[in-house]
């Protein structure tokens, strides 16, 4: 088959990233030709600042060497600027007459530094800060001259100034606004920044307008004069006053441009054969100047070029960091605080610390941090997720580790402080040093990439937060923004929330239909997404959805726990942990009959029969059902146990009958599938012997009724519950419990326990649905009861009677 | 791939439909347990039922694409080669299989791995 021809104009960060993404998913689709105006292979422009500062070399920042192009059979033309696109015949031409035909064209021409229209701007010795040749010119000047002036006190200007100063020059930064980085910082933060830069040796002239650049005898620039009449000596002038999308080529080809080449959500220009990504683009009226959004664009464009047609770019949120060693600042969103917002500020100029978080309707909309920036990514997460912070407002500025209830400290600060040998992923035994090395050497940007290369966080997932923090800490200096949404897994571009919404909105009722509709990238998904989809569909359509056995982990598929040696364990349900001699005898007899090697009490007050071979399962279940037991679901992402104390029946402190309450709760909730395992407990008085305050739903009896607690976890990361509310009657306990479980079932991501879910959504979110609005509570509870009608049938009984018999027998026994 | 030399090695173990789509069944043999897999596209593969990591029973994993996820610690194993998906390293022995008229024939001599 004849391959289609793809031509890329612009060998920079966004364009080549698009090719990388494309090669990953459709390596054979196109014959690729690349034109680049610079004489280098693709390099990391961001790292020009460290190169200028002498912290890295040009060789260090090459992303793809020449042989990468060869290996991927890409025809590379470097040092060739494309000057004409013949759209009718689909050919591009360069200055020197080289041409290439295309079926699809990708424009990624970046932007041009903005040059002030003042006399002398064209003099030798006046440079911008954009590419390797600019850095070479600056390095050359720094070895021969003394005085440098940087015009522009923004991010680029400051990085240039810092680099030149480290190269030994005497540097003055001229800035027209009253404070530095006025597009990213408010005044107090900028003053602190200025102080520390001054302490390093930089000089500043603020609110100063440049009038002209003055030539010396040799014809090279020798001074800068200002509109107010002052002037200062300058042998090198760096203009860093802004950038303009480079649309020259696109415009000459008649493509619609408006402060950038205008593209739609699939990154196509007004000529659908021509795509554009990167800084040259204007998307929904926004042109981005940081790489993370451009990489998101790259991903979507690649997807479309591969004709998957999923993926849609809807814009990005960005945040900023300054790459000047020793200076920590962070800014994101609305950092000034527009009308209708509140700002919480901590200002400690003497200590070199400043924090401001801007809130609107109790949600974070912006933040500026100077000095201690470890909370930056946390605030950015809150901002992106739109988390309601009313509950933590008073301690917001003190950071995540001060939230009290999570008790484990801020992950970024924590991982930054960890030694390289610290183990991050216990499941796969991966330590911090390995991960950081992989991120650096292999240039990883996303969680999935880290998982693929190091294995970290690819098993139980409890270290995912740490790995994400490591990514943020390691990559953050270079790539200062993060994607605005996380896909469910490598099989799709869509997030959990999008998938759940699509299921209900489109009324989709099977996994293949959903994958087809949402244009899954793999034909049958993977174990991560299939298990999630199976749950989401089950939750959305309890009466209609046909469960997909092949999309369940082995434990749920065979309704027993797989153990390390491949045998299984079964746990019969003992409601409320309340048993009788008769029940115990029945279990004992069955255990003897089947020669069960180990019988053990679980942490949830149930009996565990361990060491059962798979083919024995139906038989033992049959016996257990006949003795009146149902499955304890101890293997499932499901309601597990209700732990109880003896309460007022026996205990001298007991105020209410916690055991009966526990039994009722278990009768109500058993058999229900949940995003992750779900545990309950009921204590008969505030002494809390049943440990209800580390359960997903905890009930503590008090004189006047019952206290309800949610979101506790006794597992890897201990978390005490949040107090939900106080209720008076037993009926209320049951109704609130049903409503809470249903909100969790309908909202949480698969494999997200209630603790991280409550932290992500905010306690207020839960209270609004379960406590504040009685109508809504009833609606949720009603949906829970409805779904229980279908899920409270015992899987053991059915299998004891022969359902899925093939599961438990070998297909053949050869002798 | 190499073809097997001695025809008498093939044993019939069942029909294609005996294995659920995207599933696996176990064959017990004097030479140990063998897992026989069926993919979405009705391709059949056979591997020793022992994960190269810590011996997990691969026949109990989730099949997706041409891979199976081990039920114990989630290593992914390529069904066509028995190799673990990088960055993990290891290999489960691969057994030749053939499907004729809907019947699955298995050879008990692994053609790669141990
Ligand atoms: C010094 C510096 C520091 C930075 N620091 C950060 C940072 O810390 N964090 C961050 O997120 N971003 C940073 N950026 C911004 C980031 O580098 C850019 O957003 C990104 O490189 C833009 O990618 P692009 O592919 O759109 O453009 P580029 O990477 O500029 O690529 C465009 C390429 O197209 C070529 N070209 C243009 N026209 C033609 C033509 N007609 N024919 C052939 N080739 C052509 C150009 O020569 C260029 O090589 C920094 C930028 C600079 C300059
Ligand atoms: S929680 Fe209270 S009622 Fe229950 S056992 Fe402990 S002391 Fe007794
Ligand atoms: S704590 Fe749980 S998962 Fe960990 S070893 Fe014990 S039983 Fe297994
Ligand atoms: S035994 Fe298979 S992944 Fe550990």
């Amino acid at each position: 088959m004849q391959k289609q021809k793809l031509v890329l104009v612009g060998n920079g960060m966004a364009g080549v990233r698009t090719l990388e993404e494309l090669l990953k998913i459709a390596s054979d689709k196109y014959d690729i030709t690349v034109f680049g105006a610079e004489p280098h292979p693709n390099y990391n422009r961001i790292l020009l600042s460290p190169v200028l500062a002498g912290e890295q070399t040009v060789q260090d920042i090459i992303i793809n060497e020449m042989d990468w192009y060869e290996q991927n059979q890409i025809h590379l033309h470097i040092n060739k600027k494309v000057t004409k696109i013949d759209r009718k015949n689909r050919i591009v031409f360069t200055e020197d007459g080289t041409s290439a035909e295309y079926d699809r064209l990708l424009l990624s021409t970046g932007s041009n530094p903005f040059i002030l229209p003042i006399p002398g701007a064209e003099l030798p010795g006046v440079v911008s800060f954009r590419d390797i040749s600019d850095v070479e010119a600056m390095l050359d000047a720094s070895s021969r001259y003394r005085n440098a002036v940087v015009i522009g006190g923004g991010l680029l200007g400051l990085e240039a100034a810092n680099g030149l100063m480290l190269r030994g020059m005497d540097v003055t930064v001229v800035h027209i606004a009253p404070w530095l980085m006025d597009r990213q910082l408010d005044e107090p933060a900028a003053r602190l920044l200025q102080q520390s830069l001054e302490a390093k040796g930089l000089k500043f002239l603020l609110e100063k307008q440049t009038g002209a650049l003055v030539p010396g005898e040799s014809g090279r620039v020798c001074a800068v004069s200002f509109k107010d009449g002052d002037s200062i000596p300058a042998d090198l002038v760096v203009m860093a006053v802004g950038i303009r999308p480079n649309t020259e080529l696109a415009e000459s080809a008649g493509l619609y441009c408006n402060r950038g080449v205008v593209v739609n959500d699939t990154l196509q220009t007004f000529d659908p054969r021509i795509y554009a990504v990167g800084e040259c683009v204007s998307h929904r009226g926004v042109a981005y100047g940081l790489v993370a959004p451009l990489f998101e664009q790259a991903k979507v464009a690649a997807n479309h070029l591969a004709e998957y047609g999923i993926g849609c770019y809807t814009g990005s949120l960005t945040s900023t960091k300054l790459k000047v060693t020793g200076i920590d600042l962070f800014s994101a969103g609305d950092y000034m605080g527009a009308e209708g917002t509140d700002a919480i500020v901590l200002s400690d100029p003497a200590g070199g610390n400043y924090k401001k978080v801007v809130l609107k309707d109790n949600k974070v909309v912006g933040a500026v941090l100077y000095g201690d920036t470890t909370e930056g990514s946390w605030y950015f997460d809150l901002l992106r997720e739109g988390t309601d912070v009313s509950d933590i407002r008073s301690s917001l500025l003190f950071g995540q580790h001060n939230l009290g209830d999570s008790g484990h400290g801020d992950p970024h600060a924590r991982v930054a402080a960890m030694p390289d040998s610290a183990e991050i992923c216990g499941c796969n035994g991966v330590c911090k040093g390995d991960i950081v090395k992989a991120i650096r050497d292999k240039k990883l940007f996303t969680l999935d990439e880290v998982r693929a290369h190091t294995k970290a966080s690819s098993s139980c997932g409890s270290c995912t937060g740490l790995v994400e923090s490591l990514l943020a800490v390691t990559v953050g200096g270079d790539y200062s923004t993060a994607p605005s949404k996380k896909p469910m897994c490598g099989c799709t571009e869509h997030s959990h929330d999008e998938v759940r919404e699509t299921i209900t909105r489109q009324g989709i009722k099977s996994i293949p239909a959903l994958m087809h509709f949402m244009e899954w990238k793999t034909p049958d998904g993977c174990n991560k997404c299939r298990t999630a989809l199976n749950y989401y569909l089950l939750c959305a359509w309890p009466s209609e959805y046909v469960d997909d056995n092949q999309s369940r982990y082995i434990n749920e598929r065979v309704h027993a726990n797989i153990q390390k040696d491949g045998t299984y364990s079964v746990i019969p349900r003992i409601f409320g942990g309340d048993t009788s001699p008769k029940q115990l005898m029945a279990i004992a007899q069955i255990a003897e009959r089947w020669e069960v090697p180990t019988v053990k009490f679980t942490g949830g007050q149930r009996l565990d029969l361990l060491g059962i071979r798979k083919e024995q399962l139906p038989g033992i279940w049959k016996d257990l059902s006949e003795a009146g037991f149902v499955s304890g679901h101890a293997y499932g992402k499901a309601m597990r146990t209700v732990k109880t104390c003896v309460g007022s029946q026996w205990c001298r402190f007991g105020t209410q009958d916690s055991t009966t309450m526990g039994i009722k709760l278990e009768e109500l909730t058993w058999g229900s599938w949940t995003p992750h395992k779900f545990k309950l407990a009921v204590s008969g008085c505030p002494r809390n012997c049943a440990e209800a305050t580390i359960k997903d739903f905890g009930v503590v009896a008090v004189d006047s009724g019952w206290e309800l607690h949610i979101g506790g976890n006794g597992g890897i990361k201990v978390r005490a519950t949040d107090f939900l509310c106080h209720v008076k009657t037993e009926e209320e306990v049951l109704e609130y419990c049903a409503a809470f479980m249903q909100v969790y079932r309908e909202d949480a991501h698969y494999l997200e326990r209630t603790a991280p879910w409550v932290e992500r959504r905010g306690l207020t979110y839960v209270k609004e649905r379960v406590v504040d609005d009685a109508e809504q509570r009833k609606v949720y509870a009603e949906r829970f009861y409805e779904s229980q009608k279908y899920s409270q049938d015992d899987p053991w009984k059915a299998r004891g009677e022969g359902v899925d018999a093939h599961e438990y027998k070998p297909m053949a026994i050869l002798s | 791939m190499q073809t097997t030399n001695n025809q008498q090695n093939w044993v019939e173990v069942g029909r294609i439909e005996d294995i659920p789509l995207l599933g696996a069944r176990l064959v017990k043999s004097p030479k140990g347990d063998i897992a026989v897999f069926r993919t979405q596209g009705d391709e059949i593969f056979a591997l020793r039922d022992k994960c190269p990591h810590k011996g997990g029973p691969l026949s109990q994993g989730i099949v997706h694409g041409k891979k199976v996820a081990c039920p114990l610690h989630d290593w992914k194993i390529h069904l066509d080669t028995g190799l673990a998906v990088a960055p993990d390293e290891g290999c489960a022995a691969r057994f030749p299989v053939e499907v004729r008229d809907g019947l699955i024939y298995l050879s008990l001599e692994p053609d790669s791995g141990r």
Side-chain angles (χ1 to χ4, degrees):
Chain A
M1 200 183 66
Q2 179 81 40
K3 281 193 199 175
Q4 293 198 59
K5 298 189 195 68
L6 172 66
V7 171
L8 164 63
V9 179
N11 190 22
M13 298 197 70
V16 177
R17 182 69 171 196
T18 312
L19 296 186
E20 288 176 350
E21 296 281 354
L22 179 64
L23 291 171
K24 262 195 266 173
I25 51 179
S27 57
D28 282 339
K29 200 166 175 68
Y30 292 99
D31 235 334
I32 304 175
T33 306
V34 176
F35 289 95
E38 292 181 66
H40 307 279
N42 169 240
Y43 63 90
N44 190 337
R45 193 172 304 286
I46 290 179
L47 298 179
L48 286 178
S49 303
V51 170
L52 178 64
E55 289 158 5
Q56 279 185 306
T57 65
V58 169
Q59 190 51 41
D60 290 339
I61 69 168
I62 304 287
I63 300 177
N64 291 302
E65 304 279 355
M66 293 295 185
D67 55 4
W68 175 83
Y69 294 88
E70 255 167 56
Q71 276 158 17
N72 290 291
Q73 292 165 13
I74 296 171
H75 315 283
L76 173 65
H77 299 280
I78 52 173
N79 227 346
K80 287 199 186 198
K81 182 169 171 187
V82 173
T83 47
K84 185 176 166 213
I85 305 171
D86 175 351
R87 280 167 55 199
K88 193 153 153 266
N89 298 305
R90 305 210 299 262
I91 310 178
V92 298
F93 296 93
T94 67
E95 273 168 322
D96 68 356
T98 314
S99 67
E101 294 179 11
Y102 67 84
D103 296 302
R104 305 278 175 118
L105 177 63
L106 176 60
L107 297 179
S108 155
T109 49
S111 45
N112 291 324
F114 182 64
I115 303 293
L116 291 174
I118 49 172
E122 67 304 322
L123 289 175
V126 180
V127 298
S128 52
F129 187 16
R130 180 73 197 173
D131 55 27
I132 290 184
S133 72
D134 293 330
V135 173
E136 282 166 352
M138 286 192 247
L139 290 181
D140 176 56
S142 72
S143 66
R144 294 194 283 140
Y145 301 99
R146 173 152 186 82
N147 294 312
V149 171
V150 175
I151 304 180
L155 211 61
L156 270 193
L158 295 179
E159 289 184 10
N162 176 61
L164 292 170
M165 182 187 65
L166 291 175
R167 295 290 183 172
M169 294 188 87
D170 194 329
V171 189
T172 305
V173 177
V174 177
H175 193 47
I176 196 164
W179 65 81
L180 298 175
M181 290 181 65
D182 50 304
R183 308 249 312 273
Q184 291 90 16
L185 299 182
D186 64 353
E187 185 168 358
R191 293 281 170 237
L192 283 174
L193 170 64
Q194 187 178 340
Q195 276 169 19
S196 7
L197 291 172
E198 278 167 352
K200 284 172 169 261
L202 287 175
K203 292 182 217 147
F204 294 94
L205 291 175
L206 299 179
E207 291 183 272
K208 213 56 171 171
Q209 272 197 35
T210 312
L213 305 181
V214 187
E217 265 168 38
S218 63
R220 186 184 172 95
V221 68
C222 81
V224 177
S225 70
F226 300 105
K227 294 214 167 135
D228 60 10
D230 290 352
S231 70
I232 52 170
D235 312 304
L236 172 71
V237 173
V238 181
M239 288 230 199
V241 289
I243 52 173
R244 278 214 174 133
N246 179 2
T247 55
E248 199 185 329
L249 178 65
E251 263 171 296
S252 75
L255 293 173
Y256 176 52
C257 297
N258 181 4
R259 269 174 273 145
V261 188
V262 175
V263 294
N264 62 13
D265 288 356
T266 47
L267 286 313
Q268 282 161 300
T269 65
F270 277 53
D271 177 342
R273 284 186 181 273
I274 306 184
Y275 293 70
V277 293
E279 277 186 356
C280 61
V281 154
S282 165
H283 172 263
R284 299 193 183 182
V286 185
Y288 296 93
L290 292 168
V291 292
L294 311 182
F295 284 2
E296 285 184 61
Q297 292 177 351
K299 206 163 189 172
V300 174
N303 211 283
H304 210 261
L305 282 168
E307 284 173 15
Y308 283 131
I310 359 167
C312 164
Y313 178 71
T314 54
S316 307
L317 286 166
T318 58
S319 69
T320 315
K321 280 190 169 187
L322 180 70
K323 298 193 300 297
V324 171
T325 310
I327 298 213
D328 290 314
L329 69 79
F330 170 90
S331 124
D334 174 8
Y335 61 93
M336 287 301 281
E339 196 138 319
T341 61
D342 296 334
I344 311 183
V345 180
L346 177 152
S347 173
D348 172 16
N353 249 317
Y354 178 78
K355 279 188 178 188
K356 170 159 132 187
V357 179
V358 183
L359 301 178
K360 186 169 186 194
D361 301 330
N362 281 318
K363 294 188 175 140
V364 176
V365 295
V368 185
L369 308 178
Y370 185 86
D372 176 9
T373 54
T374 43
E375 303 293 344
S377 16
W378 182 51
Y379 296 135
F380 195 47
D381 279 346
L382 294 174
L383 190 154
R384 279 185 297 163
E385 306 264 358
T387 306
D388 186 312
V389 295
S390 23
D391 313 310
I392 49 173
R393 195 177 161 122
S394 59
S395 54
L396 198 58
L397 276 196
F398 305 113
Q400 203 172 12
H401 58 282
N402 261 300
L403 282 186
D405 50 11
S406 42
H408 276 260
D410 160 49
H412 294 319
R414 222 168 101 223
V415 297
M418 279 179 170
D420 275 355
S421 58
E423 187 173 84
I424 300 280
C425 172
C427 296
N428 297 294
V430 192
C431 63
K432 176 180 163 186
D434 297 346
I435 300 176
V436 172
K437 187 164 182 304
I439 295 174
R440 292 227 174 95
D441 294 358
K442 308 227 165 85
K443 308 197 169 64
L444 311 180
F445 289 96
T446 65
L447 183 62
D448 273 348
E449 288 170 342
V450 176
R451 283 183 177 151
H453 281 92
T454 67
K455 223 34 206 185
S457 141
S458 57
S459 301
C460 79
S462 63
C463 62
T464 301
L466 280 177
V467 175
E468 281 177 322
S469 300
L470 264 183
L471 257 173
V473 169
T474 313
V475 174
D478 299 346
Y479 306 97
S480 39
T481 68
S484 52
K485 73 167 192 199
K486 258 189 250 171
M488 264 177 86
C489 68
C491 302
T492 176
E493 299 293 329
H494 298 290
S495 66
H496 284 270
D497 294 328
E498 285 171 337
V499 169
R500 297 204 81 162
E501 199 195 310
T502 305
I503 290 173
T504 39
R505 189 159 29 82
Q506 302 291 336
I508 295 174
K509 294 182 183 158
S510 80
I511 294 180
L514 183 72
M515 286 183 171
H516 181 72
F517 185 83
M518 299 195 81
E519 304 186 288
W520 237 243
K521 289 192 271 186
T522 49
D524 47 23
C526 68
N527 54 335
K528 294 263 167 353
C529 58
R530 285 222 319 264
T531 44
L533 298 188
N534 191 53
Y535 168 74
Y536 291 154
L537 287 160
L538 188 89
C539 175
W541 319 110
S543 63
E544 293 162 81
Y545 177 64
V546 187
D547 196 76
D548 177 24
N549 231 0
Q550 300 316 130
S551 299
R552 286 201 178 253
Y553 289 111
I554 181 67
N555 280 357
E556 292 182 353
R557 192 158 76 236
V558 305
H559 306 279
N561 253 327
I562 193 166
Q563 302 296 343
K564 59 185 274 187
D565 60 353
T567 64
Y568 293 82
S569 84
V570 301
I571 300 184
R573 196 169 282 291
I574 295 177
F575 288 81
D578 193 37
T579 184
S580 64
K582 205 169 142 227
Q583 270 197 336
L584 287 174
M585 232 134 46
I587 293 180
Q589 275 162 4
I590 292 168
E592 266 192 354
R593 193 175 314 146
W594 290 89
E595 295 174 356
V596 171
T598 298
V599 180
K600 185 176 187 312
F601 284 103
T602 70
Q605 302 175 332
R606 306 295 184 271
L607 275 165
D608 194 358
L609 310 180
L610 291 132
I612 295 162
R613 292 188 313 275
K614 193 176 179 190
E615 59 272 20
Q616 297 180 315
L617 287 172
I620 199 164
W621 290 337
K622 187 160 186 293
D623 287 356
L624 284 165
S625 331
E626 279 166 7
F629 292 98
V630 298
S631 162
H633 286 80
Y635 41 76
K637 309 296 171 220
M639 189 322 253
R640 296 268 174 101
T641 51
V642 185
K643 190 174 179 177
T644 58
C645 71
V646 293
S648 60
Q649 278 184 25
W650 293 97
C651 178
R652 64 204 161 99
F653 299 111
T655 56
Q656 312 266 359
D657 184 353
S658 51
T659 307
T660 304
M661 181 76 247
I663 293 172
K664 288 193 170 151
L665 275 171
E666 190 154 349
E667 280 166 354
L668 172 74
T669 58
W670 77 271
S672 71
W673 299 108
T674 42
H676 208 302
K677 60 186 167 193
F678 191 97
K679 300 178 178 179
L680 302 88
V682 188
S683 289
C685 83
R687 285 179 180 72
N688 193 14
C689 294
E691 296 160 338
T693 49
I694 50 162
K695 294 289 186 277
D696 297 282
F697 189 81
V699 181
V700 177
V702 288
D703 265 344
S704 56
W706 308 87
E707 279 183 351
L708 306 182
H709 298 259
I710 58 160
N713 189 344
I716 295 183
K717 181 174 165 185
V718 185
R719 182 186 194 271
T721 44
D722 290 308
F723 175 65
L724 183 69
C725 64
H726 174 271
V727 297
K728 292 209 175 64
T729 65
E730 222 170 69
E731 291 68 47
E732 284 172 303
V733 175
L734 294 171
E735 184 178 297
Y736 279 67
C737 174
F740 171 72
M741 278 185 80
Q742 190 64 11
V743 175
Y744 170 58
R745 296 181 72 228
E746 291 178 12
D747 190 78
H749 298 165
Y750 190 62
L751 297 190
E752 184 176 42
R753 285 205 64 180
T754 56
W757 171 68
V758 169
E759 282 180 7
R760 179 168 66 83
R761 277 312 212 161
L763 183 57
T764 308
Y765 174 90
V766 180
K767 277 190 178 159
E768 275 168 8
R769 283 157 184 78
V770 181
V771 184
D772 304 346
D773 183 342
E775 279 308 305
Q776 232 183 16
R777 174 172 63 247
K778 289 213 160 49
V779 171
Y780 274 112
E782 219 29 77
R783 281 210 289 271
F784 182 78
Y785 304 143
E786 167 72 14
S787 129
Q788 284 298 80
K789 284 193 213 155
Y790 306 95
S791 59
Q792 280 191 335
D793 70 343
D794 182 31
W796 282 1
K797 180 155 188 287
R799 277 151 195 82
E801 287 166 355
V803 168
D804 284 346
H806 68 87
E807 258 294 351
Y808 308 94
K809 288 200 286 257
M811 176 165 61
I813 299 175
L814 310 173
S815 48
Chain B
M1 207 207 288
Q2 93 196 58
T3 46
T4 36
N5 27 22
N6 42 351
Q7 292 295 321
Q8 64 268 39
N9 257 349
W10 295 109
V11 243
E12 186 201 315
V13 290
R15 311 192 60 82
I16 271 208
E17 313 83 76
D18 293 341
I19 311 178
L21 258 189
L22 289 174
R25 292 290 300 277
L26 189 64
V27 170
K28 288 198 167 284
S29 90
K31 300 198 169 158
D33 290 355
I34 299 171
V36 187
F37 303 89
R38 177 177 175 197
T39 67
Q40 184 72 53
D42 273 347
E43 280 185 281
I44 304 290
F45 297 99
L47 298 177
R48 164 130 21 249
D49 194 25
K50 232 178 169 180
C51 176
H53 180 217
K54 294 191 175 168
L58 296 177
S59 57
Q60 312 301 303
I62 291 184
V63 176
H64 54 98
K66 282 192 202 176
K67 287 181 274 219
V68 60
C70 175
L72 290 197
H73 314 99
D74 201 32
W75 278 30
K76 313 284 187 306
I77 311 295
H78 289 288
L79 296 177
D80 49 356
T81 58
L83 286 168
V85 174
D88 291 327
E89 288 168 13
C91 184
R94 179 183 63 179
F95 294 83
V97 261
E98 273 194 22
V99 179
R100 281 176 249 142
D101 301 329
L103 289 173
I104 303 169
Y105 294 86
L106 181 68
S107 156
L108 299 187
E109 287 309 320
D111 66 355
S112 83
R114 276 169 303 122

